[in-house]
PDB file of all heavy atoms in Angstrom:
ATOM      1  N   GLU A   1     138.748  96.583  47.828  1.00  0.00           N
ATOM      2  CA  GLU A   1     138.745  96.971  46.414  1.00  0.00           C
ATOM      3  C   GLU A   1     137.692  96.231  45.590  1.00  0.00           C
ATOM      4  O   GLU A   1     137.896  95.949  44.404  1.00  0.00           O
ATOM      5  CB  GLU A   1     140.139  96.788  45.802  1.00  0.00           C
ATOM      6  CG  GLU A   1     141.201  97.659  46.465  1.00  0.00           C
ATOM      7  CD  GLU A   1     142.559  97.537  45.800  1.00  0.00           C
ATOM      8  OE1 GLU A   1     142.781  96.538  45.092  1.00  0.00           O
ATOM      9  OE2 GLU A   1     143.386  98.442  45.987  1.00  0.00           O
ATOM     10  N   ASN A   2     136.560  95.932  46.204  1.00  0.00           N
ATOM     11  CA  ASN A   2     135.421  95.420  45.440  1.00  0.00           C
ATOM     12  C   ASN A   2     134.741  96.560  44.700  1.00  0.00           C
ATOM     13  O   ASN A   2     135.033  97.739  44.955  1.00  0.00           O
ATOM     14  CB  ASN A   2     134.412  94.750  46.391  1.00  0.00           C
ATOM     15  CG  ASN A   2     133.947  95.718  47.475  1.00  0.00           C
ATOM     16  OD1 ASN A   2     134.688  95.982  48.428  1.00  0.00           O
ATOM     17  ND2 ASN A   2     132.743  96.249  47.337  1.00  0.00           N
ATOM     18  N   GLN A   3     133.848  96.232  43.794  1.00  0.00           N
ATOM     19  CA  GLN A   3     133.074  97.276  43.128  1.00  0.00           C
ATOM     20  C   GLN A   3     132.199  97.974  44.163  1.00  0.00           C
ATOM     21  O   GLN A   3     131.751  97.375  45.139  1.00  0.00           O
ATOM     22  CB  GLN A   3     132.195  96.673  42.023  1.00  0.00           C
ATOM     23  CG  GLN A   3     132.972  96.050  40.874  1.00  0.00           C
ATOM     24  CD  GLN A   3     133.803  97.073  40.127  1.00  0.00           C
ATOM     25  OE1 GLN A   3     133.309  98.155  39.775  1.00  0.00           O
ATOM     26  NE2 GLN A   3     135.064  96.740  39.861  1.00  0.00           N
ATOM     27  N   LEU A   4     131.952  99.260  43.968  1.00  0.00           N
ATOM     28  CA  LEU A   4     131.196 100.044  44.930  1.00  0.00           C
ATOM     29  C   LEU A   4     129.857  99.378  45.235  1.00  0.00           C
ATOM     30  O   LEU A   4     129.074  99.076  44.336  1.00  0.00           O
ATOM     31  CB  LEU A   4     130.967 101.459  44.405  1.00  0.00           C
ATOM     32  CG  LEU A   4     130.305 102.435  45.389  1.00  0.00           C
ATOM     33  CD1 LEU A   4     131.243 102.743  46.550  1.00  0.00           C
ATOM     34  CD2 LEU A   4     129.926 103.724  44.660  1.00  0.00           C
ATOM     35  N   LEU A   5     129.610  99.142  46.528  1.00  0.00           N
ATOM     36  CA  LEU A   5     128.390  98.457  46.940  1.00  0.00           C
ATOM     37  C   LEU A   5     127.218  99.425  47.041  1.00  0.00           C
ATOM     38  O   LEU A   5     127.356 100.557  47.510  1.00  0.00           O
ATOM     39  CB  LEU A   5     128.599  97.788  48.299  1.00  0.00           C
ATOM     40  CG  LEU A   5     129.381  96.475  48.287  1.00  0.00           C
ATOM     41  CD1 LEU A   5     129.750  96.057  49.706  1.00  0.00           C
ATOM     42  CD2 LEU A   5     128.566  95.375  47.617  1.00  0.00           C
ATOM     43  N   SER A   6     126.066  98.942  46.590  1.00  0.00           N
ATOM     44  CA  SER A   6     124.808  99.663  46.711  1.00  0.00           C
ATOM     45  C   SER A   6     123.707  98.620  46.574  1.00  0.00           C
ATOM     46  O   SER A   6     123.965  97.473  46.199  1.00  0.00           O
ATOM     47  CB  SER A   6     124.677 100.723  45.607  1.00  0.00           C
ATOM     48  OG  SER A   6     124.448 100.094  44.364  1.00  0.00           O
ATOM     49  N   PRO A   7     122.457  98.971  46.880  1.00  0.00           N
ATOM     50  CA  PRO A   7     121.373  97.995  46.740  1.00  0.00           C
ATOM     51  C   PRO A   7     121.221  97.432  45.338  1.00  0.00           C
ATOM     52  O   PRO A   7     120.625  96.358  45.159  1.00  0.00           O
ATOM     53  CB  PRO A   7     120.132  98.798  47.161  1.00  0.00           C
ATOM     54  CG  PRO A   7     120.661  99.794  48.137  1.00  0.00           C
ATOM     55  CD  PRO A   7     122.006 100.187  47.583  1.00  0.00           C
ATOM     56  N   SER A   8     121.755  98.121  44.331  1.00  0.00           N
ATOM     57  CA  SER A   8     121.668  97.611  42.960  1.00  0.00           C
ATOM     58  C   SER A   8     122.801  96.649  42.615  1.00  0.00           C
ATOM     59  O   SER A   8     122.781  96.014  41.559  1.00  0.00           O
ATOM     60  CB  SER A   8     121.667  98.774  41.965  1.00  0.00           C
ATOM     61  OG  SER A   8     122.885  99.519  42.047  1.00  0.00           O
ATOM     62  N   HIS A   9     123.795  96.532  43.474  1.00  0.00           N
ATOM     63  CA  HIS A   9     124.894  95.596  43.250  1.00  0.00           C
ATOM     64  C   HIS A   9     124.343  94.172  43.329  1.00  0.00           C
ATOM     65  O   HIS A   9     123.555  93.851  44.226  1.00  0.00           O
ATOM     66  CB  HIS A   9     125.980  95.806  44.308  1.00  0.00           C
ATOM     67  CG  HIS A   9     127.246  95.061  44.046  1.00  0.00           C
ATOM     68  ND1 HIS A   9     127.352  93.687  44.182  1.00  0.00           N
ATOM     69  CD2 HIS A   9     128.483  95.495  43.658  1.00  0.00           C
ATOM     70  CE1 HIS A   9     128.579  93.309  43.894  1.00  0.00           C
ATOM     71  NE2 HIS A   9     129.294  94.392  43.574  1.00  0.00           N
ATOM     72  N   PRO A  10     124.743  93.295  42.400  1.00  0.00           N
ATOM     73  CA  PRO A  10     124.183  91.922  42.390  1.00  0.00           C
ATOM     74  C   PRO A  10     124.460  91.118  43.645  1.00  0.00           C
ATOM     75  O   PRO A  10     123.757  90.142  43.922  1.00  0.00           O
ATOM     76  CB  PRO A  10     124.837  91.287  41.155  1.00  0.00           C
ATOM     77  CG  PRO A  10     126.029  92.138  40.847  1.00  0.00           C
ATOM     78  CD  PRO A  10     125.659  93.519  41.266  1.00  0.00           C
ATOM     79  N   GLU A  11     125.463  91.519  44.436  1.00  0.00           N
ATOM     80  CA  GLU A  11     125.775  90.776  45.652  1.00  0.00           C
ATOM     81  C   GLU A  11     125.543  91.616  46.918  1.00  0.00           C
ATOM     82  O   GLU A  11     126.113  91.346  47.974  1.00  0.00           O
ATOM     83  CB  GLU A  11     127.222  90.263  45.588  1.00  0.00           C
ATOM     84  CG  GLU A  11     127.394  89.207  44.488  1.00  0.00           C
ATOM     85  CD  GLU A  11     128.820  88.726  44.349  1.00  0.00           C
ATOM     86  OE1 GLU A  11     129.716  89.580  44.156  1.00  0.00           O
ATOM     87  OE2 GLU A  11     129.040  87.509  44.426  1.00  0.00           O
ATOM     88  N   TRP A  12     124.665  92.600  46.784  1.00  0.00           N
ATOM     89  CA  TRP A  12     124.324  93.442  47.925  1.00  0.00           C
ATOM     90  C   TRP A  12     123.768  92.628  49.089  1.00  0.00           C
ATOM     91  O   TRP A  12     124.083  92.872  50.246  1.00  0.00           O
ATOM     92  CB  TRP A  12     123.310  94.501  47.506  1.00  0.00           C
ATOM     93  CG  TRP A  12     122.745  95.309  48.631  1.00  0.00           C
ATOM     94  CD1 TRP A  12     121.476  95.238  49.145  1.00  0.00           C
ATOM     95  CD2 TRP A  12     123.426  96.299  49.412  1.00  0.00           C
ATOM     96  NE1 TRP A  12     121.319  96.123  50.179  1.00  0.00           N
ATOM     97  CE2 TRP A  12     122.498  96.789  50.365  1.00  0.00           C
ATOM     98  CE3 TRP A  12     124.722  96.823  49.402  1.00  0.00           C
ATOM     99  CZ2 TRP A  12     122.826  97.774  51.289  1.00  0.00           C
ATOM    100  CZ3 TRP A  12     125.051  97.801  50.318  1.00  0.00           C
ATOM    101  CH2 TRP A  12     124.121  98.262  51.254  1.00  0.00           C
ATOM    102  N   ASP A  13     122.930  91.647  48.770  1.00  0.00           N
ATOM    103  CA  ASP A  13     122.316  90.832  49.826  1.00  0.00           C
ATOM    104  C   ASP A  13     123.360  90.083  50.643  1.00  0.00           C
ATOM    105  O   ASP A  13     123.161  89.835  51.835  1.00  0.00           O
ATOM    106  CB  ASP A  13     121.315  89.840  49.231  1.00  0.00           C
ATOM    107  CG  ASP A  13     120.046  90.521  48.740  1.00  0.00           C
ATOM    108  OD1 ASP A  13     119.834  91.690  49.093  1.00  0.00           O
ATOM    109  OD2 ASP A  13     119.279  89.880  48.002  1.00  0.00           O
ATOM    110  N   ILE A  14     124.461  89.719  50.018  1.00  0.00           N
ATOM    111  CA  ILE A  14     125.524  89.019  50.743  1.00  0.00           C
ATOM    112  C   ILE A  14     126.144  89.961  51.778  1.00  0.00           C
ATOM    113  O   ILE A  14     126.369  89.576  52.932  1.00  0.00           O
ATOM    114  CB  ILE A  14     126.603  88.502  49.774  1.00  0.00           C
ATOM    115  CG1 ILE A  14     126.007  87.420  48.862  1.00  0.00           C
ATOM    116  CG2 ILE A  14     127.813  87.954  50.524  1.00  0.00           C
ATOM    117  CD1 ILE A  14     126.941  86.965  47.768  1.00  0.00           C
ATOM    118  N   PHE A  15     126.392  91.195  51.385  1.00  0.00           N
ATOM    119  CA  PHE A  15     126.948  92.162  52.332  1.00  0.00           C
ATOM    120  C   PHE A  15     125.989  92.394  53.497  1.00  0.00           C
ATOM    121  O   PHE A  15     126.394  92.398  54.660  1.00  0.00           O
ATOM    122  CB  PHE A  15     127.255  93.485  51.629  1.00  0.00           C
ATOM    123  CG  PHE A  15     127.764  94.554  52.566  1.00  0.00           C
ATOM    124  CD1 PHE A  15     129.075  94.523  53.023  1.00  0.00           C
ATOM    125  CD2 PHE A  15     126.918  95.569  53.011  1.00  0.00           C
ATOM    126  CE1 PHE A  15     129.538  95.488  53.913  1.00  0.00           C
ATOM    127  CE2 PHE A  15     127.373  96.538  53.893  1.00  0.00           C
ATOM    128  CZ  PHE A  15     128.682  96.500  54.337  1.00  0.00           C
ATOM    129  N   MET A  16     124.711  92.566  53.175  1.00  0.00           N
ATOM    130  CA  MET A  16     123.739  92.819  54.237  1.00  0.00           C
ATOM    131  C   MET A  16     123.597  91.615  55.163  1.00  0.00           C
ATOM    132  O   MET A  16     123.455  91.770  56.376  1.00  0.00           O
ATOM    133  CB  MET A  16     122.380  93.189  53.639  1.00  0.00           C
ATOM    134  CG  MET A  16     122.297  94.616  53.133  1.00  0.00           C
ATOM    135  SD  MET A  16     122.766  95.886  54.371  1.00  0.00           S
ATOM    136  CE  MET A  16     121.674  95.493  55.738  1.00  0.00           C
ATOM    137  N   GLU A  17     123.632  90.410  54.609  1.00  0.00           N
ATOM    138  CA  GLU A  17     123.572  89.213  55.450  1.00  0.00           C
ATOM    139  C   GLU A  17     124.760  89.171  56.411  1.00  0.00           C
ATOM    140  O   GLU A  17     124.620  88.857  57.599  1.00  0.00           O
ATOM    141  CB  GLU A  17     123.566  87.944  54.591  1.00  0.00           C
ATOM    142  CG  GLU A  17     122.243  87.640  53.930  1.00  0.00           C
ATOM    143  CD  GLU A  17     122.282  86.338  53.155  1.00  0.00           C
ATOM    144  OE1 GLU A  17     123.303  85.622  53.234  1.00  0.00           O
ATOM    145  OE2 GLU A  17     121.297  86.031  52.466  1.00  0.00           O
ATOM    146  N   GLY A  18     125.926  89.493  55.880  1.00  0.00           N
ATOM    147  CA  GLY A  18     127.126  89.495  56.715  1.00  0.00           C
ATOM    148  C   GLY A  18     127.068  90.553  57.791  1.00  0.00           C
ATOM    149  O   GLY A  18     127.404  90.296  58.960  1.00  0.00           O
ATOM    150  N   LEU A  19     126.629  91.767  57.435  1.00  0.00           N
ATOM    151  CA  LEU A  19     126.536  92.854  58.405  1.00  0.00           C
ATOM    152  C   LEU A  19     125.520  92.521  59.495  1.00  0.00           C
ATOM    153  O   LEU A  19     125.786  92.698  60.693  1.00  0.00           O
ATOM    154  CB  LEU A  19     126.150  94.157  57.696  1.00  0.00           C
ATOM    155  CG  LEU A  19     125.964  95.391  58.588  1.00  0.00           C
ATOM    156  CD1 LEU A  19     127.231  95.705  59.364  1.00  0.00           C
ATOM    157  CD2 LEU A  19     125.531  96.588  57.744  1.00  0.00           C
ATOM    158  N   GLU A  20     124.370  92.017  59.099  1.00  0.00           N
ATOM    159  CA  GLU A  20     123.344  91.667  60.086  1.00  0.00           C
ATOM    160  C   GLU A  20     123.802  90.519  60.979  1.00  0.00           C
ATOM    161  O   GLU A  20     123.492  90.487  62.173  1.00  0.00           O
ATOM    162  CB  GLU A  20     122.041  91.318  59.376  1.00  0.00           C
ATOM    163  CG  GLU A  20     121.352  92.536  58.766  1.00  0.00           C
ATOM    164  CD  GLU A  20     120.132  92.186  57.949  1.00  0.00           C
ATOM    165  OE1 GLU A  20     119.695  91.000  57.990  1.00  0.00           O
ATOM    166  OE2 GLU A  20     119.600  93.079  57.252  1.00  0.00           O
ATOM    167  N   GLU A  21     124.549  89.591  60.422  1.00  0.00           N
ATOM    168  CA  GLU A  21     125.040  88.468  61.221  1.00  0.00           C
ATOM    169  C   GLU A  21     126.009  88.944  62.297  1.00  0.00           C
ATOM    170  O   GLU A  21     125.926  88.517  63.455  1.00  0.00           O
ATOM    171  CB  GLU A  21     125.727  87.436  60.328  1.00  0.00           C
ATOM    172  CG  GLU A  21     126.142  86.172  61.047  1.00  0.00           C
ATOM    173  CD  GLU A  21     124.965  85.326  61.524  1.00  0.00           C
ATOM    174  OE1 GLU A  21     123.866  85.435  60.969  1.00  0.00           O
ATOM    175  OE2 GLU A  21     125.170  84.552  62.483  1.00  0.00           O
ATOM    176  N   ILE A  22     126.919  89.842  61.952  1.00  0.00           N
ATOM    177  CA  ILE A  22     127.870  90.359  62.934  1.00  0.00           C
ATOM    178  C   ILE A  22     127.135  91.157  64.014  1.00  0.00           C
ATOM    179  O   ILE A  22     127.388  90.982  65.213  1.00  0.00           O
ATOM    180  CB  ILE A  22     128.935  91.243  62.244  1.00  0.00           C
ATOM    181  CG1 ILE A  22     129.796  90.393  61.307  1.00  0.00           C
ATOM    182  CG2 ILE A  22     129.808  91.950  63.284  1.00  0.00           C
ATOM    183  CD1 ILE A  22     130.440  89.191  61.958  1.00  0.00           C
ATOM    184  N   CYS A  23     126.214  92.014  63.605  1.00  0.00           N
ATOM    185  CA  CYS A  23     125.449  92.783  64.591  1.00  0.00           C
ATOM    186  C   CYS A  23     124.625  91.857  65.482  1.00  0.00           C
ATOM    187  O   CYS A  23     124.511  92.090  66.690  1.00  0.00           O
ATOM    188  CB  CYS A  23     124.545  93.788  63.880  1.00  0.00           C
ATOM    189  SG  CYS A  23     125.420  95.149  63.075  1.00  0.00           S
ATOM    190  N   LYS A  24     124.052  90.803  64.913  1.00  0.00           N
ATOM    191  CA  LYS A  24     123.258  89.861  65.700  1.00  0.00           C
ATOM    192  C   LYS A  24     124.119  89.145  66.729  1.00  0.00           C
ATOM    193  O   LYS A  24     123.723  88.997  67.892  1.00  0.00           O
ATOM    194  CB  LYS A  24     122.577  88.841  64.789  1.00  0.00           C
ATOM    195  CG  LYS A  24     121.690  87.851  65.542  1.00  0.00           C
ATOM    196  CD  LYS A  24     121.025  86.856  64.607  1.00  0.00           C
ATOM    197  CE  LYS A  24     121.980  85.783  64.146  1.00  0.00           C
ATOM    198  NZ  LYS A  24     121.299  84.714  63.385  1.00  0.00           N
ATOM    199  N   GLU A  25     125.295  88.697  66.312  1.00  0.00           N
ATOM    200  CA  GLU A  25     126.169  87.984  67.249  1.00  0.00           C
ATOM    201  C   GLU A  25     126.590  88.889  68.405  1.00  0.00           C
ATOM    202  O   GLU A  25     126.612  88.468  69.562  1.00  0.00           O
ATOM    203  CB  GLU A  25     127.402  87.443  66.512  1.00  0.00           C
ATOM    204  CG  GLU A  25     127.102  86.243  65.636  1.00  0.00           C
ATOM    205  CD  GLU A  25     126.457  85.108  66.416  1.00  0.00           C
ATOM    206  OE1 GLU A  25     127.029  84.679  67.434  1.00  0.00           O
ATOM    207  OE2 GLU A  25     125.362  84.668  66.021  1.00  0.00           O
ATOM    208  N   LEU A  26     126.920  90.129  68.097  1.00  0.00           N
ATOM    209  CA  LEU A  26     127.297  91.063  69.161  1.00  0.00           C
ATOM    210  C   LEU A  26     126.107  91.352  70.080  1.00  0.00           C
ATOM    211  O   LEU A  26     126.249  91.400  71.307  1.00  0.00           O
ATOM    212  CB  LEU A  26     127.821  92.366  68.555  1.00  0.00           C
ATOM    213  CG  LEU A  26     129.137  92.273  67.766  1.00  0.00           C
ATOM    214  CD1 LEU A  26     129.462  93.613  67.128  1.00  0.00           C
ATOM    215  CD2 LEU A  26     130.291  91.807  68.645  1.00  0.00           C
ATOM    216  N   ALA A  27     124.932  91.529  69.488  1.00  0.00           N
ATOM    217  CA  ALA A  27     123.735  91.804  70.287  1.00  0.00           C
ATOM    218  C   ALA A  27     123.414  90.638  71.215  1.00  0.00           C
ATOM    219  O   ALA A  27     123.089  90.835  72.397  1.00  0.00           O
ATOM    220  CB  ALA A  27     122.550  92.089  69.359  1.00  0.00           C
ATOM    221  N   LYS A  28     123.498  89.425  70.710  1.00  0.00           N
ATOM    222  CA  LYS A  28     123.209  88.249  71.533  1.00  0.00           C
ATOM    223  C   LYS A  28     124.210  88.120  72.679  1.00  0.00           C
ATOM    224  O   LYS A  28     123.851  87.737  73.797  1.00  0.00           O
ATOM    225  CB  LYS A  28     123.222  86.987  70.671  1.00  0.00           C
ATOM    226  CG  LYS A  28     122.025  86.863  69.752  1.00  0.00           C
ATOM    227  CD  LYS A  28     122.178  85.717  68.769  1.00  0.00           C
ATOM    228  CE  LYS A  28     122.201  84.370  69.441  1.00  0.00           C
ATOM    229  NZ  LYS A  28     122.269  83.271  68.449  1.00  0.00           N
ATOM    230  N   LYS A  29     125.468  88.446  72.408  1.00  0.00           N
ATOM    231  CA  LYS A  29     126.479  88.362  73.460  1.00  0.00           C
ATOM    232  C   LYS A  29     126.220  89.399  74.547  1.00  0.00           C
ATOM    233  O   LYS A  29     126.459  89.147  75.734  1.00  0.00           O
ATOM    234  CB  LYS A  29     127.877  88.536  72.857  1.00  0.00           C
ATOM    235  CG  LYS A  29     128.315  87.318  72.036  1.00  0.00           C
ATOM    236  CD  LYS A  29     129.666  87.520  71.376  1.00  0.00           C
ATOM    237  CE  LYS A  29     130.064  86.270  70.581  1.00  0.00           C
ATOM    238  NZ  LYS A  29     131.379  86.414  69.924  1.00  0.00           N
ATOM    239  N   ILE A  30     125.721  90.581  74.157  1.00  0.00           N
ATOM    240  CA  ILE A  30     125.362  91.591  75.148  1.00  0.00           C
ATOM    241  C   ILE A  30     124.197  91.091  75.998  1.00  0.00           C
ATOM    242  O   ILE A  30     124.216  91.194  77.229  1.00  0.00           O
ATOM    243  CB  ILE A  30     124.998  92.923  74.455  1.00  0.00           C
ATOM    244  CG1 ILE A  30     126.257  93.576  73.861  1.00  0.00           C
ATOM    245  CG2 ILE A  30     124.325  93.884  75.437  1.00  0.00           C
ATOM    246  CD1 ILE A  30     125.977  94.792  73.008  1.00  0.00           C
ATOM    247  N   ALA A  31     123.182  90.542  75.352  1.00  0.00           N
ATOM    248  CA  ALA A  31     122.015  90.045  76.090  1.00  0.00           C
ATOM    249  C   ALA A  31     122.406  88.921  77.042  1.00  0.00           C
ATOM    250  O   ALA A  31     121.956  88.883  78.192  1.00  0.00           O
ATOM    251  CB  ALA A  31     120.943  89.570  75.110  1.00  0.00           C
ATOM    252  N   ARG A  32     123.233  88.005  76.574  1.00  0.00           N
ATOM    253  CA  ARG A  32     123.643  86.876  77.422  1.00  0.00           C
ATOM    254  C   ARG A  32     124.472  87.348  78.611  1.00  0.00           C
ATOM    255  O   ARG A  32     124.443  86.730  79.685  1.00  0.00           O
ATOM    256  CB  ARG A  32     124.444  85.860  76.594  1.00  0.00           C
ATOM    257  CG  ARG A  32     125.052  84.720  77.411  1.00  0.00           C
ATOM    258  CD  ARG A  32     123.981  83.938  78.157  1.00  0.00           C
ATOM    259  NE  ARG A  32     124.539  82.925  79.034  1.00  0.00           N
ATOM    260  CZ  ARG A  32     124.907  83.130  80.299  1.00  0.00           C
ATOM    261  NH1 ARG A  32     124.762  84.342  80.852  1.00  0.00           N
ATOM    262  NH2 ARG A  32     125.401  82.160  81.040  1.00  0.00           N
ATOM    263  N   ASP A  33     125.187  88.452  78.440  1.00  0.00           N
ATOM    264  CA  ASP A  33     126.049  88.956  79.511  1.00  0.00           C
ATOM    265  C   ASP A  33     125.332  89.988  80.364  1.00  0.00           C
ATOM    266  O   ASP A  33     125.960  90.767  81.063  1.00  0.00           O
ATOM    267  CB  ASP A  33     127.320  89.562  78.912  1.00  0.00           C
ATOM    268  CG  ASP A  33     128.416  89.775  79.951  1.00  0.00           C
ATOM    269  OD1 ASP A  33     128.491  88.973  80.905  1.00  0.00           O
ATOM    270  OD2 ASP A  33     129.185  90.738  79.809  1.00  0.00           O
ATOM    271  N   GLY A  34     124.002  90.011  80.308  1.00  0.00           N
ATOM    272  CA  GLY A  34     123.242  90.913  81.172  1.00  0.00           C
ATOM    273  C   GLY A  34     123.664  90.733  82.616  1.00  0.00           C
ATOM    274  O   GLY A  34     123.977  89.618  83.050  1.00  0.00           O
ATOM    275  N   GLU A  35     123.678  91.809  83.360  1.00  0.00           N
ATOM    276  CA  GLU A  35     124.219  91.781  84.721  1.00  0.00           C
ATOM    277  C   GLU A  35     123.552  90.696  85.560  1.00  0.00           C
ATOM    278  O   GLU A  35     122.337  90.707  85.770  1.00  0.00           O
ATOM    279  CB  GLU A  35     124.052  93.154  85.364  1.00  0.00           C
ATOM    280  CG  GLU A  35     125.002  94.176  84.751  1.00  0.00           C
ATOM    281  CD  GLU A  35     124.697  95.600  85.141  1.00  0.00           C
ATOM    282  OE1 GLU A  35     123.563  95.896  85.518  1.00  0.00           O
ATOM    283  OE2 GLU A  35     125.621  96.426  85.030  1.00  0.00           O
ATOM    284  N   GLY A  36     124.348  89.746  86.013  1.00  0.00           N
ATOM    285  CA  GLY A  36     123.874  88.652  86.842  1.00  0.00           C
ATOM    286  C   GLY A  36     123.180  87.538  86.085  1.00  0.00           C
ATOM    287  O   GLY A  36     122.706  86.573  86.693  1.00  0.00           O
ATOM    288  N   ALA A  37     123.105  87.621  84.764  1.00  0.00           N
ATOM    289  CA  ALA A  37     122.319  86.671  83.973  1.00  0.00           C
ATOM    290  C   ALA A  37     122.925  85.273  83.979  1.00  0.00           C
ATOM    291  O   ALA A  37     124.141  85.100  84.035  1.00  0.00           O
ATOM    292  CB  ALA A  37     122.182  87.160  82.542  1.00  0.00           C
ATOM    293  N   THR A  38     122.039  84.281  83.899  1.00  0.00           N
ATOM    294  CA  THR A  38     122.467  82.886  83.747  1.00  0.00           C
ATOM    295  C   THR A  38     121.947  82.274  82.451  1.00  0.00           C
ATOM    296  O   THR A  38     122.414  81.224  82.044  1.00  0.00           O
ATOM    297  CB  THR A  38     121.977  82.024  84.921  1.00  0.00           C
ATOM    298  OG1 THR A  38     120.549  81.946  84.903  1.00  0.00           O
ATOM    299  CG2 THR A  38     122.432  82.596  86.251  1.00  0.00           C
ATOM    300  N   LYS A  39     120.975  82.941  81.808  1.00  0.00           N
ATOM    301  CA  LYS A  39     120.359  82.398  80.602  1.00  0.00           C
ATOM    302  C   LYS A  39     120.203  83.483  79.534  1.00  0.00           C
ATOM    303  O   LYS A  39     119.899  84.640  79.839  1.00  0.00           O
ATOM    304  CB  LYS A  39     118.957  81.844  80.893  1.00  0.00           C
ATOM    305  CG  LYS A  39     118.866  80.819  82.016  1.00  0.00           C
ATOM    306  CD  LYS A  39     119.360  79.455  81.588  1.00  0.00           C
ATOM    307  CE  LYS A  39     119.112  78.424  82.698  1.00  0.00           C
ATOM    308  NZ  LYS A  39     119.640  77.087  82.332  1.00  0.00           N
ATOM    309  N   LEU A  40     120.395  83.095  78.281  1.00  0.00           N
ATOM    310  CA  LEU A  40     119.994  83.914  77.145  1.00  0.00           C
ATOM    311  C   LEU A  40     118.583  83.496  76.768  1.00  0.00           C
ATOM    312  O   LEU A  40     118.295  82.306  76.646  1.00  0.00           O
ATOM    313  CB  LEU A  40     120.934  83.693  75.960  1.00  0.00           C
ATOM    314  CG  LEU A  40     120.515  84.368  74.639  1.00  0.00           C
ATOM    315  CD1 LEU A  40     120.654  85.877  74.729  1.00  0.00           C
ATOM    316  CD2 LEU A  40     121.340  83.829  73.473  1.00  0.00           C
ATOM    317  N   ILE A  41     117.697  84.464  76.615  1.00  0.00           N
ATOM    318  CA  ILE A  41     116.323  84.178  76.203  1.00  0.00           C
ATOM    319  C   ILE A  41     116.124  84.684  74.777  1.00  0.00           C
ATOM    320  O   ILE A  41     116.386  85.854  74.482  1.00  0.00           O
ATOM    321  CB  ILE A  41     115.299  84.863  77.134  1.00  0.00           C
ATOM    322  CG1 ILE A  41     115.530  84.454  78.596  1.00  0.00           C
ATOM    323  CG2 ILE A  41     113.876  84.514  76.705  1.00  0.00           C
ATOM    324  CD1 ILE A  41     114.677  85.233  79.581  1.00  0.00           C
ATOM    325  N   GLU A  42     115.670  83.805  73.900  1.00  0.00           N
ATOM    326  CA  GLU A  42     115.367  84.167  72.518  1.00  0.00           C
ATOM    327  C   GLU A  42     113.865  84.026  72.309  1.00  0.00           C
ATOM    328  O   GLU A  42     113.302  82.953  72.535  1.00  0.00           O
ATOM    329  CB  GLU A  42     116.119  83.266  71.545  1.00  0.00           C
ATOM    330  CG  GLU A  42     115.851  83.595  70.084  1.00  0.00           C
ATOM    331  CD  GLU A  42     116.662  82.726  69.130  1.00  0.00           C
ATOM    332  OE1 GLU A  42     116.289  81.541  68.977  1.00  0.00           O
ATOM    333  OE2 GLU A  42     117.647  83.219  68.562  1.00  0.00           O
TER     334      GLU A  42
END
């Protein structure tokens, strides 16, 4: 029940930071779990 989010919302950047952080964490976990992998490479 926050105010409707859009790029003009004063806290839009906070939402985008949070969304990108979650996607990044999931992406890194996929990369680290590559079949047979022992190392994550960044």
Side-chain angles (χ1 to χ4, degrees):
E1 298 184 340
N2 57 284
Q3 295 297 313
L4 186 68
L5 282 169
S6 72
S8 62
H9 190 288
E11 293 177 305
W12 172 252
D13 288 346
I14 294 173
F15 177 77
M16 282 306 305
E17 284 183 6
L19 178 59
E20 289 174 9
E21 186 68 23
I22 294 306
C23 290
K24 182 180 77 172
E25 286 304 306
L26 294 175
K28 288 171 65 177
K29 288 177 179 180
I30 289 172
R32 174 59 185 88
D33 195 32
E35 288 168 337
T38 66
K39 306 283 186 183
L40 173 70
I41 304 172
E42 180 177 75

